[in-house]
């Protein structure tokens, strides 16, 4: 199971590196955030909803 998770992480890193090289002025993560925002209704574009759309945790608030 650990090996599968490591392979996924390695693949994700390789895809991110290719994406970062493709977009000159944006990182692939910035591009994905923009795509998530574009696919949300205007009144739903909160940090929590963007994070959910990306499949990550919302930012912590102190």
């Amino acid at each position: 199971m650990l090996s599968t998770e490591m392979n996924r992480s390695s693949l994700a890193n390789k895809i991110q590196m290719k994406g970062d090289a493709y977009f000159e002025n944006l990182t692939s993560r910035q591009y994905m955030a923009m795509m998530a925002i574009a696919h949300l209704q205007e009144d739903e574009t909160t940090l929590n909803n963007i994070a959910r759309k990306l499949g990550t945790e919302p930012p912590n608030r102190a």
Side-chain angles (χ1 to χ4, degrees):
M1 185 79 126
L2 182 59
S3 178
T4 302
E5 186 62 34
M6 289 173 55
N7 286 339
R8 284 186 194 150
S9 178
S10 177
L11 177 60
N13 287 339
K14 288 177 184 177
I15 291 170
Q16 183 175 342
M17 286 171 41
K18 289 287 187 183
D20 289 347
Y22 181 78
F23 299 112
E24 292 180 10
N25 296 320
L26 291 174
T27 66
S28 56
R29 288 180 186 242
Q30 289 170 324
Y31 178 78
M32 293 303 293
M34 288 173 45
M35 290 295 98
I37 292 166
H39 285 93
L40 290 169
Q41 297 294 324
E42 187 173 341
D43 62 337
E44 295 178 351
T45 53
T46 65
L47 290 177
N48 287 340
N49 287 341
I50 295 166
R52 282 189 202 97
K53 193 76 159 170
L54 292 170
T56 61
E57 294 291 320
N60 291 332
R61 296 196 178 151

